[in-house]
């Protein structure tokens, strides 16, 4: 089987910001919880300082090796979408690393194409926190 369907990627602006944050904080990760308000925005944390839950789903890696996790409940709603992490002006009220920069990460989404959906449906399930954490 070839490569998995790409489920998440970054805009050029998000990739630039992520490089800046990684240079400042070391390896980082994303988590999308699906909570209300700022909880519905992707949060960027120093890797290892946010504990991934056993049912969280690893959508993939962005910018090389930055894992992008999503809560299982949120994934159930968004499994048919492709996500693009972007950057917009303004501060969120969460603990995401970009907050002091005066910007925030934001998700943009599109429905997977019929071809992408067929490929994704034929793939093994995405890894979960239970499988990768221990």
């Amino acid at each position: 089987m070839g490569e998995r369907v790409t489920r998440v990627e970054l805009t050029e602006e998000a990739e630039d910001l992520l490089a800046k944050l990684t240079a400042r904080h070391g390896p980082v990760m994303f988590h999308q919880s699906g909570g209300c308000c700022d909880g519905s925005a992707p949060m960027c944390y120093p890797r290892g300082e946010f504990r991934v839950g056993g049912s969280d789903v690893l959508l993939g890696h962005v910018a090389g090796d930055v894992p992008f996790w999503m809560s299982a409940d949120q994934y159930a709603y968004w499994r048919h979408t492709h996500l693009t992490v972007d950057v917009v002006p303004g501060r969120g009220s969460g603990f995401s690393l970009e907050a002091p920069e005066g910007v925030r990460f934001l998700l943009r989404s599109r429905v997977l194409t019929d071809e992408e959906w067929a490929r994704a449906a034929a793939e093994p399930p995405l890894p979960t926190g239970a499988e990768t954490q221990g």
Side-chain angles (χ1 to χ4, degrees), residues 17 37-38 41 86-93 98-99 102-106:
L17 177 58
C37 308
D38 282 336
D86 201 356
V87 177
V88 295
R91 284 191 57 179
S93 63
E98 80 281 3
V103 295
R104 55 193 252 154
F105 289 113
L106 173 88

Side-chain angles (χ1 to χ4, degrees), residues 6-113:
T6 301
R7 295 197 174 255
V8 62
E9 65 184 349
L10 304 174
T11 63
E12 187 175 326
E13 293 81 7
E15 194 159 347
D16 290 346
L17 177 58
L18 194 59
K20 185 178 184 181
L21 295 174
T22 300
R24 185 176 300 141
H25 300 283
V28 297
M29 64 171 286
F30 278 105
H31 188 270
Q32 174 70 42
S33 71
C36 71
C37 308
D38 282 336
S40 59
M43 299 288 163
C44 183
Y45 301 106
R47 203 172 308 168
E49 290 191 23
F50 179 88
R51 187 175 179 126
V52 174
S55 64
D56 286 341
V57 177
L58 179 62
L59 292 187
H61 290 79
V62 294
D65 73 338
V66 177
F68 190 103
W69 291 91
M70 181 176 279
S71 69
D73 290 344
Q74 187 74 3
Y75 178 70
Y77 288 112
W78 289 23
R79 69 183 179 274
H80 62 284
T81 61
H82 175 275
L83 305 173
T84 302
V85 180
D86 201 356
V87 177
V88 295
R91 284 191 57 179
S93 63
F95 299 104
S96 194
L97 290 174
E98 80 281 3
E101 306 295 321
V103 295
R104 55 193 252 154
F105 289 113
L106 173 88
L107 283 182
R108 301 187 190 281
S109 65
R110 68 167 173 80
V111 174
L112 293 173
T113 66

